Amino acid sequence: MSLFTITEDKSNKDIPAGMSVLQARRHYLAMSDGFVSKLSKPVVQKHGDRYIFRGDASQSSLKGYGAEQLVAECKEDVLVYCAPRVGMAMDAIATLAKMYDKRCVFFCPASGEPSKHQKALLAYGADLRFIKIAAMPTLNSYAKRWAEQHGAKYLPFGLAKTPLVTAGIVRLGTCIAEQIDEEPTEIWMSVSTGTAIRALQIAWPEALCKGIVVARNMQDGEIGHAKLWSASQPFLKDVPLNKRPPFPSTPNYDAKCWEDFENFASKGSIFINVGTDDKVNKFYDLVKDIPLDSQRAWHDMRDLERGL
């Protein structure tokens, strides 16, 4: 059973109007010209005649490599992001904030108990705030308004619609191609907002893109020329143990694409392992006993009304 609908539109909204994909690649690489990263080189592992980007073994997840320049050059001292119950973007933001001496405020959907991904952010010294909502877009609008009122930097959900993040992932793709001495023939990955798969299409214009949609419906402009199929399991449900990769991954995200990669990927393909829950669990263990009031009634806006 397919859970999500996927557009048939093959446009890539991160390719600026009037540009070819090669012009877009030059455009984004020019945005990063002169930027010196503090992150170590990404880990890329050979897997038979194919490759694996090991976000789990690298200094940061894929989103961290994408967002580094944005955080490094941000003039604001406080970063604001909406943290869902699961996801690697908030850990990447917290990691970079610590590296570049920034503070983080994470707005989270209120719940009886915060998730491990959310509570682990306390280990970075993050400020977690809770609001009862019906849907994440509402929380994002609250967070954006709060950031504007307090001179903070709002980061959109999934780090989408952020050219410097696209540039960072294009730069990462260039780095990977230099390490393996070729551009991948195919890109295989799980897809949520599509930020990463659109950027990697720009980094490696000749590569075919294949993957599984794990979290939401995909709209026009969000998938580029990728061939995607829908997950049959709800987003929060983990893939069975016998279908997971033989390295640390995220069971409800990256791991859902592994079986298809193993069975069908061509020579020269690359599997994108964005990150791993192992790091989240390690930080969660450091803070799990800290009391945290995450429950809110409707219209309880105390965390939105509170300043820095």
Side-chain angles (χ1 to χ4, degrees), residues 24 54 85 111 120 123 167 183 188 196 198-199 218 252 303:
R54 293 284 303 273
R85 291 193 65 80
S111 61
E183 292 187 6
W188 288 74
R198 292 193 302 273
M218 303 304 296
N252 75 306
D303 284 353

Side-chain angles (χ1 to χ4, degrees), residues 65-277:
Y65 284 90
E68 185 188 8
Q69 185 176 359
L70 173 68
V71 173
E73 296 180 353
C74 171
K75 66 180 185 299
E76 294 88 353
D77 294 325
V78 178
L79 307 176
V80 178
Y81 187 76
C82 287
R85 291 193 65 80
V86 295
M88 298 306 301
M90 56 258 209
D91 179 82
I93 292 166
T95 298
L96 293 170
K98 194 174 183 71
M99 181 180 291
Y100 286 99
D101 198 26
K102 307 282 187 182
R103 294 169 57 195
C104 286
V105 175
F106 290 101
F107 283 90
C108 310
S111 61
E113 183 70 27
S115 70
K116 287 185 176 181
H117 281 245
Q118 291 167 339
K119 194 163 187 178
L121 298 170
L122 294 177
Y124 294 97
D127 181 351
L128 269 58
R129 306 190 179 203
F130 297 90
I131 302 175
K132 192 173 183 66
I133 56 164
M136 283 299 288
T138 302
L139 189 63
N140 274 282
S141 67
Y142 289 153
K144 184 177 182 181
R145 186 176 72 195
W146 186 92
E148 291 169 350
Q149 291 173 344
H150 296 90
K153 177 68 173 180
Y154 167 75
L155 302 176
F157 190 63
L159 299 175
K161 303 177 184 178
T162 311
L164 265 183
V165 173
T166 299
I169 299 175
V170 172
R171 184 177 68 248
L172 172 66
T174 301
C175 182
I176 289 173
E178 290 174 352
Q179 286 180 236
I180 65 177
D181 202 29
E182 63 177 330
E183 292 187 6
T185 58
E186 296 177 350
I187 305 162
W188 288 74
M189 65 185 302
S190 294
V191 178
S192 176
T193 63
T195 301
I197 202 167
R198 292 193 302 273
L200 290 174
Q201 289 176 47
I202 296 170
W204 304 318
E206 299 300 319
L208 300 176
C209 299
K210 301 180 180 182
I212 185 166
V213 174
V214 298
R216 55 188 283 278
N217 298 331
M218 303 304 296
Q219 310 298 330
D220 289 358
E222 291 187 335
I223 70 171
H225 66 252
K227 180 180 179 181
L228 305 180
W229 51 95
S230 170
S232 58
Q233 298 172 311
F235 180 49
L236 294 179
K237 186 173 181 179
D238 293 347
V239 73
L241 280 170
N242 65 342
K243 295 184 178 181
R244 298 180 192 178
F247 48 82
S249 188
T250 305
N252 75 306
Y253 190 80
D254 299 325
K256 289 181 176 176
C257 191
W258 177 254
E259 184 178 33
D260 287 327
F261 172 78
E262 276 279 73
N263 291 335
F264 304 115
S266 300
K267 177 182 178 181
S269 298
I270 188 167
F271 178 82
I272 304 298
N273 193 54
V274 172
T276 175
D277 281 354

Side-chain angles (χ1 to χ4, degrees), residues 31-71:
M31 292 174 64
S32 297
D33 188 39
F35 175 69
V36 180
S37 173
K38 290 185 179 181
L39 293 170
S40 58
K41 287 186 177 181
V43 176
V44 183
Q45 174 184 319
K46 200 84 163 62
H47 183 69
D49 59 3
R50 296 170 287 178
Y51 304 98
I52 304 165
F53 164 70
R54 293 284 303 273
D56 61 292
S58 301
Q59 190 175 358
S60 179
S61 66
L62 181 141
K63 285 290 179 73
Y65 284 90
E68 185 188 8
Q69 185 176 359
L70 173 68
V71 173

